[in-house]
């Protein structure tokens, strides 16, 4: 493996490094990158499509294809793990490097398109210019990749071995069929009914009851379960899932599932007894102080790390101690949430720092796109850090009995604005101003918003964009936006021309035409480059030169007609008129 390929291997590890600082604004910091992600993936697909359709020189392009396909994998990983990379996203150098990365992909696309159209392989081997362009592309690609490398952080490093086992078993469940022979790993523990006794304080309902476990020496919760026929796929999957649930007893932060049993001739699931009941029963009985809310939230987070569920609304329920969307039925809630609606995050006018940070976690956890939600370990670390800074000194003081009353709680109204901002929250702005896309700068130029266009062109030119160099040079030459610097303008045009921008090649050629002493060969070289790159105005002018022998250029009627026809095919009016004058179809 050569050094370039070794560098390339690093790209798949490249874009991800730093942790999330502020969960609530992770979506804001990534916004400048979102169009870049989409553009990069689209360009890679176009490059691969050109390669797949190529008739010639496929082997000569394979090094570049390998590189861009690996880049695609890395960009997808980066777009999935937005919350892990906020520090990168807030770094202007990283942003500019990623922008340059896209420019390099565009150049690779043009190169692959050009090379794949060459009819003879030796044209590629023997062409010094093309070989040099190939080498420059490789070096530029590897360079920009190294600038956006940062050492991928493995999101599952140190994961509990129980979770690994659960993940493996879950995949096996998906492959079960009615004829599958179920192994012991998919059989939940069976608890003999004789082990379950009546407790001192009875508690019973139509669907569940309380029992005393002789083996555990503690109360247990028994919940009825409707079982399917033993020979069905449904039965096998339910049992397998219960068996997996039983393996999660290692976590002290979820209700333990001990196994199945029979109570009063009915099948039941046996769970750990929760003395305070569920969350709703708990907060309806007690007024919970914020330090204890934080501790509960951390424990919920630990449990969800095992259950892999989103818990933004659960935290909201804990924060405000009431059921979310209480006024509405399930269908209304579903429709409201799908279009981006959320409960209000209103902690009142006297917002504390604890409430603000807790609100940040809620807002991050209930993002509409699951890919935008932080990983559970990041939420846990944030909540744990907040809890440690607000430790409970007196548990008895943290719980106060609530008066049992029906309150007219201020719940969300489905006509409210979607995703309301939290009051008095300060969201940090990016430490840099994202660049207007180059297309936007060209549009601003067309609309005569020259100041906006100039700012765009300068930003991209400073980042090495060849097209932007052309535009900045053009502005400096013509004094657009009130700035004239002909020397710098010519330098930028020359750089842009040498980097393959056809408009720059043509304009620079005519700058050479007016320069003393006149260098005919350089003039023809750049005008030919522009013509061969498909610029019809350059084709027309080059055709005129060869047909009429202007500027002391040797006449070449055949070559001149060829360039004129190419321009005329694209409806260049000057070329059409000249061919008509020459009475040539």
């Amino acid at each position: 493996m050569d050094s370039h390929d070794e560098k390339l291997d690093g790209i798949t590890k490249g874009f991800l490094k730093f942790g999330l600082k502020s969960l609530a604004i992770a979506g804001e910091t990534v916004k400048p990158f979102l169009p870049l992600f989409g553009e990069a993936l689209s360009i890679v697909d176009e490059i691969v499509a050109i390669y797949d359709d190529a008739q010639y020189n496929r082997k000569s392009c394979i090094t570049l294809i390998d590189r861009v396909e690996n880049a695609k994998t890395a960009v997808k990983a980066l777009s999935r793990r937005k919350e892990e990379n906020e520090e990168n996203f807030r770094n202007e150098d990283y942003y500019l490097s990623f922008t340059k990365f896209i420019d390099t992909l565009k150049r690779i696309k043009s190169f692959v398109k050009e090379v794949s159209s060459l009819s003879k392989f030796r044209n590629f081997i023997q062409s010094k210019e093309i070989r040099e362009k190939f080498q420059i592309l490789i070096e530029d690609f590897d360079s920009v990749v190294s600038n956006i490398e940062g050492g991928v952080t493995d999101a599952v490093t140190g994961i509990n071995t129980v979770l690994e086992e659960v993940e493996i078993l879950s995949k096996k469940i998906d492959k079960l069929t009615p004829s599958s022979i179920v192994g012991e790993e998919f059989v939940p523990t069976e608890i003999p009914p004789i082990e379950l006794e009546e407790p001192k304080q009875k508690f019973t309902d139509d669907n569940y009851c309380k029992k005393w476990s002789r083996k555990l020496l503690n109360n247990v919760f028994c919940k009825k379960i409707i079982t399917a026929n033993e020979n069905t796929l449904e039965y096998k999957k339910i049992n397998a899932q219960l068996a997996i649930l039983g393996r999660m007893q290692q976590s002290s932060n979820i209700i333990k599932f001990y196994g199945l049993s029979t109570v009063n001739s009915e099948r039941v699931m046996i769970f750990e007894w929760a003395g305070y009941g569920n969350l709703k029963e708990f907060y309806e009985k007690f007024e919970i102080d914020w330090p204890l809310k934080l501790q509960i939230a951390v424990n919920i987070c630990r449990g969800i790390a095992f259950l892999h569920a989103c818990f933004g609304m659960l935290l909201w329920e804990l924060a405000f101690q009431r059921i979310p969307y209480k006024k509405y039925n399930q269908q209304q809630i579903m429709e409201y949430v799908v279009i981006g609606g959320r409960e209000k995050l209103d902690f009142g006018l006297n917002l504390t720092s604890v409430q603000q940070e807790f609100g940040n976690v809620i807002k991050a956890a209930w993002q509409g796109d699951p890919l935008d939600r932080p990983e559970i370990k990041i939420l846990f670390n944030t909540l744990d850090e907040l809890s440690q800074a607000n430790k409970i000194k007196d548990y008895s003081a943290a719980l106060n009995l609530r008066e049992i009353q029906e309150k007219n709680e201020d719940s969300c109204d489905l006509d409210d604005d979607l995703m309301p901002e939290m009051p008095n929250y300060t969201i940090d702005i990016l430490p840099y101003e994202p660049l207007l896309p180059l297309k936007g700068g060209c549009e601003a130029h067309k609309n005569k918003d020259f100041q906006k266009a100039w700012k765009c062109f300068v930003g991209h030119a400073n980042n090495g964009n060849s097209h932007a160099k052309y535009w900045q040079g053009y502005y400096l030459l013509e004094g657009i936006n009130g700035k004239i610097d002909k020397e710098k303008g010519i330098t930028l045009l020359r750089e842009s021309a040498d980097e393959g921008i056809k408009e720059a090649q043509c304009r620079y050629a005519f700058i050479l035409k007016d320069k003393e002493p006149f260098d005919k060969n350089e003039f023809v070289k750049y005008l030919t480059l522009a013509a061969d790159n498909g610029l019809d105005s350059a084709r027309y002018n080059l055709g005129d030169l060869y047909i009429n022998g202007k500027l002391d250029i040797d006449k070449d009627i055949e070559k001149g007609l060829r360039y004129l026809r190419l321009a005329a095919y694209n409806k260049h009016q000057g070329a059409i008129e000249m061919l008509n004058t020459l009475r040539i179809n």
Side-chain angles (χ1 to χ4, degrees), residues 553-565:
I553 304 295
D554 293 337
K555 285 188 177 183
D556 189 330
I557 302 297
E558 182 181 352
K559 186 181 288 187
L561 288 176
R562 176 161 56 85
Y563 281 114
L564 283 177
R565 285 194 178 103

Side-chain angles (χ1 to χ4, degrees), residues 480-530:
I480 302 175
N481 199 38
K483 297 180 181 180
I484 297 179
D485 188 336
K486 291 189 178 295
E487 183 177 349
K488 184 175 181 180
I490 291 172
T491 299
L492 286 167
L493 281 179
R494 171 68 184 266
E495 288 181 13
S496 180
D498 289 341
E499 291 166 6
I501 306 305
K502 57 189 177 183
E503 294 84 359
Q505 290 165 342
C506 184
R507 192 171 292 274
Y508 184 67
F510 281 95
I511 288 174
L512 293 174
K513 169 182 170 292
D514 297 329
K515 185 178 179 181
E516 294 293 340
F518 174 53
D519 189 332
K520 179 175 62 175
N521 292 332
E522 281 292 285
F523 168 72
V524 172
K525 169 189 168 183
Y526 280 98
L527 192 60
T528 302
L529 284 172

Side-chain angles (χ1 to χ4, degrees), residues 401-415:
L401 285 173
R402 301 182 73 179
E403 292 184 15
I404 306 299
Q405 58 179 339
E406 286 294 324
K407 296 172 65 179
N408 183 22
E409 305 286 10
D410 181 22
S411 185
C412 74
D413 195 332
L414 296 192
D415 293 326

Side-chain angles (χ1 to χ4, degrees), residues 46-77:
E46 291 170 4
I47 293 171
V48 174
I50 292 171
Y51 172 77
D52 288 341
D53 294 338
Q55 294 182 347
Y56 309 107
N57 303 331
R58 288 167 58 88
K59 186 176 181 180
S60 64
C61 296
I62 193 64
T63 301
L64 287 172
I65 299 301
D66 286 344
R67 278 170 162 74
V68 299
E69 286 196 316
N70 280 328
K72 180 179 180 179
T73 301
V75 171
K76 282 185 174 180

